[in-house]
Amino acid sequence: MNAPPEPHSGWTFLTNHARVLAVIADDNSVRMRDIAARCRLTERAVQKIIYDLEQDGYLSHTRAGRSNTYKIEPGKVLRHPSESGLTVASLLSWLVQDEADRKAPPAG
């Protein structure tokens, strides 16, 4: 059995919804327990976030046996008024680029 996620206090730049979406974008057949581990959330919290994302049309899933395959709607616009025009695809591309930059060896 996995240990509960390490608690975090204080604010962060990304929401848990964005973190879950980024993990799914990285692997569309990822298990909920793996999403929870990577995002440092409980599986129940991940279930709720996936439900929210599906209810608002950002995400859908198909079930094959005991596994889910997720589909992200890349053209869906983010919810906050100050992010009008910013799509899920543009958010995810920024996160992917940032991850690639962090993994790349330093220039020079």
Side-chain angles (χ1 to χ4, degrees):
M1 185 167 193
N2 292 341
E6 184 179 313
H8 177 274
S9 61
W11 63 275
T12 63
F13 282 99
L14 296 178
T15 66
N16 289 336
H17 286 66
R19 285 187 189 93
V20 167
L21 201 59
V23 170
I24 291 171
D26 190 44
D27 177 2
N28 71 342
S29 60
V30 65
R31 298 179 311 171
M32 263 195 222
R33 79 172 40 162
D34 296 327
I35 297 170
R38 285 183 59 187
C39 294
R40 298 176 119 174
L41 299 168
T42 63
E43 286 183 49
R44 182 67 187 117
V46 171
Q47 288 173 345
K48 170 81 170 85
I49 289 167
I50 288 174
Y51 175 82
D52 290 346
L53 292 170
E54 286 184 327
Q55 288 299 110
D56 286 346
Y58 291 92
L59 185 67
S60 61
H61 78 276
T62 55
R63 190 134 177 100
R66 292 176 38 165
S67 301
N68 289 322
T69 300
Y70 299 98
K71 181 180 182 297
I72 295 172
E73 294 301 326
K76 185 88 169 153
V77 176
L78 301 184
R79 293 171 41 128
H80 197 278
S82 68
E83 299 157 350
S84 70
L86 185 63
T87 64
V88 170
S90 55
L91 171 67
L92 291 173
S93 70
W94 174 76
L95 291 172
V96 167
Q97 183 60 49
D98 177 65
E99 184 70 16
D101 290 346
R102 286 194 285 154
K103 288 181 179 177

